[in-house]
Amino acid sequence: METFPFLWIICLLSGELIWGAVAQLVHCNAAEREALLDLKMGLNDSWNRLSSWHGTNCCQWSGIACDNTTGAVLAVDLPNSSGRRPLGGKIRPSLAKLNLQGNSFQANLPNWFLNISSLVSVDIRNSWLTGRIPLGFAELPNLESLMLAYNVKLSASCFQLFSRSWKKIQVLDLSINELHENIGQVMSVLSFLSLSGNKLTGAIPASIGEISLDVLDLSKNNLAGSIPSSIGNCSSLTVLDLQKNNLSGEIPNSIGQITGLQTLHLSNNQLSGKIPSSLQNLSKLETLDFGNNMLTGNLPRWIGEAFPRLRILSLRSNKFSGELPLALSNSSSLQILDLAENQLNGSIPANLSNLKAMTQQQNVNHYLLYGTLFDDHNYQENIYVTINGLGLTYTRTLSLLTSIDMSGNNLSGELPEAITKLVGLEVLNLSRNHISGQIPKSISELRQLLSLDLSGNRLSGPIPQSISSLTFLGNLNVSNNNLSGIIPSTNQMSTFNASSFAGNPGLCGDPLTVKCSNDSNNGGDNYPDGGGKADQTDNGNGFIDKWFYMSIGVGFAAGLLLPYLVFAMKRSWGGVYFAFVDGTAYRLSSEKMKAAARRRNRGAR
């Protein structure tokens, strides 16, 4: 077994040598080398990223891929690396396949592209291109992929662009630009269509159902009208993202026919009615996002059983009512449960502790990507999460987040102790409900908790001292309850300000201005200053008194045992020991005398 790593290294080195030899044997032709050098001449390369672009064999240059047999240049890949100044300048008519994303050309999309009949793929995302997208792209016979996303200032006539016949094209990504016309007709051979983040108006055309789409992203536009029932004919869809538009009407039953659907975003629209029962046919669904609409009715009982792969369930800011279905706990893959800002009532089911994905820490980050047509261009999952009043959109780290938000409902009953079994939970928000009882002492089991909001409820009793062990806790709010006793002040608890504890008349201690009585820790019964409490003008002398007499007792016991042990081990340590005891006694007696002097001075005044 010990020889395996050595053999593995030999294999890797052999592979490197073999491929290196192939690269040395293959040479690009002179015309393509000159085209690359022409491209280099037009670029501003302040970081000298193209320093390897010299010599006769362009197949050995950085970012160049060649055919291992013919030496033909297959692709030029010069994406911008983080932290580097982007390439700038002009794009020369040099290549038949341009990955130049992440640079800064700040110019119109050049028309010479349209003269390259062999053009297969154009990828100039995130490069500050301006002007209109040439309609001639529709005439290129071999174009399969046009990716011009994140240029911000590109525009086009969508109706004309989509109604032309450029038949082979399968990937069209024009997201985050300045497209503002009606969406018009869409080409029937598309597999990936993203027009997200533009200013498109009008309705989604019924002809959308005639396309064999894998990914459809029309989010973040100004689309209006209803979702056409013909959407159900897109049987190959894995992604349907229509969030952040002005869509109205009911969710069409036909969506339940798209049985391969994995992510469904309809949030931030004006949709009404109930959740269609046909959706329970979507057994592969991983994200269900209907937040910020006007949906009504009870939460379907099948919602916890129909989606065994469901990771994200967001129904926040609707008009859902009724109790939480017990079957919700069957969602073993669920990591984000957001039911905030509805009209839900009843108690929190104790069996939520069965949410398996939340009972363990998420240590490995998986990019949630959908759409398998092109390896380098997929739909990236996203979800909007509110933490401590701040709205955040999670994308790349989404698979690491575990969150429950049921704030702003009418939930009642006690906070079930079983919820503390969700030890992977990072965000828990149950604020603005009618939850009563005490905060469970086992709250300290939620060791991964980053944010805890229990404010605006009817909780009573003390804040458990064990909460101090939540060392990752960055946000805590237990304000406006009926909590009492001393506020734990060690570890993270010392970092929160008074607003985290305000509105609890029975709480005392830092950071509140209400001081605690001498016996505030006695027997677990904690009271703020009132009858029988220590004199507030004593400036903490009662505390010094208590520790002074306690230290005498401890010192007496130590005085009997330690000398014997010290001398038994080594006599030369005796002097050090007695010097330490003497110094300690002096300091304690000095504090006691100073305290007595302060009391005498106040009495004299």
Side-chain angles (χ1 to χ4, degrees):
M1 292 296 289
E2 294 190 5
T3 61
F4 176 77
F6 177 76
L7 292 175
W8 180 244
I9 292 171
I10 293 295
C11 291
L12 287 177
L13 291 175
S14 300
E16 289 292 328
L17 290 172
I18 291 170
W19 283 111
V22 170
Q24 289 176 2
L25 291 173
V26 173
H27 285 76
C28 64
N29 63 58
E32 291 182 330
R33 181 178 67 249
E34 293 305 316
L36 291 171
L37 292 174
D38 180 56
L39 173 68
K40 180 181 178 181
M41 290 294 293
L43 298 177
N44 298 326
D45 184 15
S46 58
W47 278 80
N48 206 23
R49 290 164 56 193
L50 306 180
S51 59
S52 66
W53 285 33
H54 62 84
T56 59
N57 190 2
C58 62
C59 292
Q60 294 180 326
W61 297 353
S62 174
I64 304 300
C66 292
D67 186 281
N68 288 331
T69 304
T70 65
V73 175
L74 299 177
V76 178
D77 193 352
L78 300 174
N80 187 30
S81 301
S82 58
R84 292 188 174 188
R85 184 174 296 173
L87 291 171
K90 296 180 179 180
I91 308 174
R92 305 275 186 113
S94 308
L95 305 171
K97 183 177 179 182
L98 285 160
N99 180 354
L100 297 171
Q101 60 170 306
N103 291 289
S104 182
F105 298 114
Q106 299 186 12
N108 289 350
L109 190 62
N111 282 318
W112 57 257
F113 272 112
L114 309 179
N115 299 323
I116 306 175
S117 60
S118 61
L119 198 64
V120 174
S121 174
V122 175
D123 186 353
I124 318 180
R125 289 172 283 175
N126 193 26
S127 296
W128 291 95
L129 291 171
T130 60
R132 297 182 70 80
I133 301 171
L135 295 178
F137 273 116
E139 306 296 338
L140 293 174
N142 295 303
L143 190 65
E144 295 180 0
S145 175
L146 178 59
M147 294 178 281
L148 303 175
Y150 291 91
N151 282 294
V152 183
K153 294 184 178 181
L154 277 179
S155 61
S157 175
C158 291
F159 179 80
Q160 289 180 305
L161 189 63
F162 298 154
S163 61
R164 303 291 283 266
S165 59
W166 41 315
K167 294 180 180 178
K168 279 193 173 184
I169 195 163
Q170 300 177 62
V171 173
L172 181 62
D173 187 354
L174 304 179
S175 56
I176 320 298
N177 279 294
E178 287 286 331
L179 311 183
H180 56 270
E181 296 88 353
N182 287 356
I183 190 170
Q185 302 297 311
V186 186
M187 296 166 298
S188 60
V189 294
L190 277 174
S191 291
F192 187 108
L193 175 61
S194 178
L195 303 175
S196 172
N198 283 285
K199 299 178 180 179
L200 298 175
T201 57
I204 300 174
S207 61
I208 201 77
E210 301 172 7
I211 311 175
S212 300
L213 283 167
D214 182 31
V215 172
L216 175 61
D217 186 357
L218 303 178
S219 62
K220 303 171 188 174
N221 280 289
N222 297 317
L223 298 173
S226 60
I227 302 173
S229 59
S230 61
I231 197 76
N233 297 328
C234 298
S235 57
S236 60
L237 269 182
T238 59
V239 175
L240 178 58
D241 192 344
L242 305 177
Q243 64 179 308
K244 296 187 178 179
N245 278 289
N246 297 315
L247 300 172
S248 57
E250 298 186 355
I251 300 172
N253 285 312
S254 61
I255 290 182
Q257 301 171 17
I258 315 173
T259 54
L261 203 61
Q262 293 178 274
T263 177
L264 175 59
H265 288 276
L266 302 179
S267 61
N268 290 278
N269 281 288
Q270 301 173 31
L271 299 172
S272 57
K274 299 180 178 180
I275 296 178
S277 60
S278 64
L279 296 193
Q280 59 188 306
N281 298 324
L282 307 181
S283 59
K284 296 182 180 180
L285 204 64
E286 297 184 17
T287 296
L288 179 62
D289 177 19
F290 290 170
N292 290 282
N293 279 289
M294 298 183 290
L295 300 173
T296 57
N298 294 349
L299 298 185
R301 297 185 180 277
W302 45 260
I303 206 164
E305 299 171 340
F307 313 126
R309 303 181 185 180
L310 196 67
R311 293 173 177 264
I312 300 168
L313 176 61
S314 178
L315 304 176
R316 69 175 297 122
S317 300
N318 279 284
K319 298 179 181 180
F320 291 115
S321 57
E323 299 186 355
L324 297 173
L326 293 176
L328 190 60
S329 64
N330 295 329
S331 303
S332 59
S333 300
L334 199 63
Q335 290 181 224
I336 297 177
L337 175 61
D338 191 347
L339 306 176
E341 309 297 338
N342 279 287
Q343 300 167 14
L344 301 172
N345 54 42
S347 59
I348 300 173
N351 68 351
L352 282 186
S353 60
N354 296 333
L355 295 174
K356 187 177 178 180
M358 297 188 188
T359 61
Q360 51 196 343
Q361 183 182 356
Q362 304 299 321
N363 292 315
V364 181
N365 187 26
H366 302 285
Y367 287 176
L368 302 180
L369 303 175
Y370 300 96
T372 58
L373 185 63
F374 284 83
D375 291 337
D376 94 337
H377 201 72
N378 303 90
Y379 173 90
Q380 183 166 291
E381 186 58 277
N382 63 94
I383 196 67
Y384 184 85
V385 178
T386 300
I387 300 178
N388 191 25
L390 181 65
L392 302 171
T393 298
Y394 280 78
T395 53
R396 292 185 177 273
T397 59
L398 181 55
S399 68
L400 298 175
L401 181 65
T402 51
S403 170
I404 292 180
D405 190 346
M406 299 183 187
S407 60
N409 280 286
N410 296 314
L411 299 174
S412 57
E414 296 190 356
L415 178 61
E417 186 173 1
I419 206 170
T420 63
K421 294 181 180 179
L422 304 178
V423 295
L425 199 61
E426 295 173 329
V427 177
L428 178 59
N429 189 347
L430 302 175
S431 63
R432 292 175 289 117
N433 280 288
H434 308 292
I435 301 170
S436 57
Q438 297 191 8
I439 301 174
K441 292 182 179 178
S442 57
I443 195 76
S444 59
E445 295 299 315
L446 302 180
R447 302 181 189 278
Q448 305 302 318
L449 211 57
L450 305 174
S451 178
L452 175 62
D453 194 343
L454 303 175
S455 62
N457 280 288
R458 299 174 181 175
L459 296 170
S460 58
I463 300 174
Q465 293 290 327
S466 62
I467 202 171
S468 297
S469 66
L470 300 180
T471 53
F472 291 150
L473 196 63
N475 172 58
L476 173 68
N477 193 348
V478 293
S479 63
N480 299 308
N481 279 286
N482 297 316
L483 299 171
S484 59
I486 189 170
I487 298 172
S489 58
T490 58
N491 299 330
Q492 288 292 94
M493 294 299 291
S494 64
T495 66
F496 303 119
N497 57 36
S499 63
S500 296
F501 310 97
N504 290 281
L507 283 181
C508 64
D510 290 334
L512 299 178
T513 57
V514 181
K515 303 299 180 184
C516 295
S517 62
N518 283 349
D519 59 348
S520 60
N521 285 321
N522 188 19
D525 295 327
N526 304 320
Y527 302 94
D529 290 342
K533 66 175 185 267
D535 185 359
Q536 290 186 4
T537 61
D538 195 47
N539 290 325
N541 290 322
F543 176 80
I544 295 176
D545 287 349
K546 181 185 293 185
W547 279 101
F548 176 75
Y549 290 111
M550 185 180 296
S551 65
I552 290 177
V554 173
F556 180 79
L560 292 176
L561 296 175
L562 285 180
Y564 174 80
L565 296 174
V566 167
F567 292 140
M569 289 185 288
K570 193 170 185 179
R571 286 186 176 274
S572 62
W573 290 357
V576 177
Y577 168 77
F578 284 114
F580 170 76
V581 171
D582 191 58
T584 302
Y586 175 79
R587 285 193 296 272
L588 289 171
S589 61
S590 295
E591 289 295 330
K592 180 64 178 176
M593 287 187 288
K594 289 177 184 177
R598 285 195 293 269
R599 285 196 293 270
R600 283 196 300 271
N601 290 337
R602 284 198 299 272
R605 288 197 296 269

